[in-house]
Amino acid sequence: MSSHPAGTVPKSLFLFSVFYGGMVCIAGVLGNKQVALGPLAVEAGIFAFLLLVVVSSAVAELQGRATANRLVLYGFIPLIASLLLTLLVLAVPASSKMEPERLGAFEMMMLATPRIWMGGIVAYGISQILNVMIFSRLKQEGGRMLWLRSGVAGVLSQIVDTLLFITIAFYGVFPIGELLLGQMIAKVALSALLVPPLIYLFVALGRRLDLEKPATAH
């Protein structure tokens, strides 16, 4: 864990927190598109969620597990605020000048059932806390290979994220077995491929930022 003067915030923590909050909010919007990656089909929100995994792991590496856990918990603030703001915007009557096609497309993209919203909130919190816990525990037990710790934590947390979200959002609506398997394979493959190199990039960036003068807390 880095040592900083009292009353200061490490620059990496400040910037990573801003970035983390943005990824929390955009993940649900990106999830409206299914992308094809070779034979795999996955909702595009996975890319934002993988960045959440990378950032929380990088903060755990640089600032410690407790700080990373607080980052995850504070992530509920922009997540819930964006959901409430979405509900408000949907409830406000649209301008008569807005084209019906654009309005219909917007409402179709932004509307979601309470189960989908709940699934996203629960899956986010549990999977991100689990990622930080596994990543930090492997380090405590002598795991020096950053790529291996981040890869294992990322894969396991994405499996849990998929199980929770799809079960909460769609169980009883339609058979979820095939969807679960397909999403899990896609997310595990992406986690194993993308998380290890990205964690090195973010940790290196964080260490470089922390060599600069930290931001002063007011």
Side-chain angles (χ1 to χ4, degrees):
M1 183 182 298
S2 300
S3 176
H4 297 273
T8 63
V9 177
K11 184 171 286 188
S12 67
L13 180 58
F14 175 77
L15 293 177
F16 286 176
S17 297
V18 173
F19 182 79
Y20 189 92
M23 291 302 100
V24 168
C25 294
I26 198 63
V29 177
L30 296 178
N32 285 282
K33 180 175 181 177
Q34 293 279 324
V35 296
L37 301 174
L40 302 177
V42 62
E43 48 89 13
I46 180 61
F47 298 110
F49 273 110
L50 287 179
L51 287 171
L52 293 177
V53 168
V54 170
V55 173
S56 61
S57 297
V59 170
E61 181 74 7
L62 296 168
Q63 310 298 336
R65 178 177 174 180
T67 300
N69 281 336
R70 285 196 294 272
L71 176 69
V72 173
L73 292 177
Y74 292 156
F76 280 105
I77 297 174
L79 175 58
I80 294 174
S82 63
L83 291 177
L84 293 175
L85 188 57
T86 298
L87 291 174
L88 175 63
V89 170
L90 288 169
V92 174
S95 169
S96 59
K97 297 181 180 180
M98 187 174 185
E99 299 90 335
E101 295 80 7
R102 288 186 60 192
L103 177 59
F106 175 80
E107 291 180 340
M108 182 175 66
M109 185 177 73
M110 301 305 294
L111 278 172
T113 68
R115 284 183 60 176
I116 291 177
W117 280 327
M118 182 59 64
I121 293 172
V122 172
Y124 159 76
I126 294 179
S127 65
Q128 289 297 307
I129 290 291
L130 180 65
N131 173 71
V132 171
M133 182 186 73
I134 295 172
F135 180 87
S136 301
R137 180 64 62 84
L138 290 174
K139 183 177 183 179
Q140 286 179 343
E141 294 182 358
R144 296 183 178 181
M145 293 182 287
L146 181 60
W147 66 269
L148 181 60
R149 288 187 280 125
S150 62
V152 170
V155 165
L156 293 178
S157 65
Q158 285 305 300
I159 290 175
V160 171
D161 177 87
T162 304
L163 285 170
L164 288 172
F165 176 73
I166 292 180
T167 301
I168 294 171
F170 303 118
Y171 181 77
V173 178
F174 56 81
I176 63 174
E178 185 176 341
L179 178 62
L180 267 175
L181 181 61
Q183 291 291 297
M184 204 172 293
I185 292 173
K187 290 184 178 182
V188 166
L190 286 172
S191 297
L193 180 66
L194 297 179
V195 170
L198 285 174
I199 190 70
Y200 278 100
L201 175 64
F202 273 75
V203 169
L205 175 62
R207 286 175 176 157
R208 181 169 183 177
L209 288 169
D210 289 343
L211 291 175
E212 303 174 10
K213 185 178 179 180
T216 302
H218 296 283

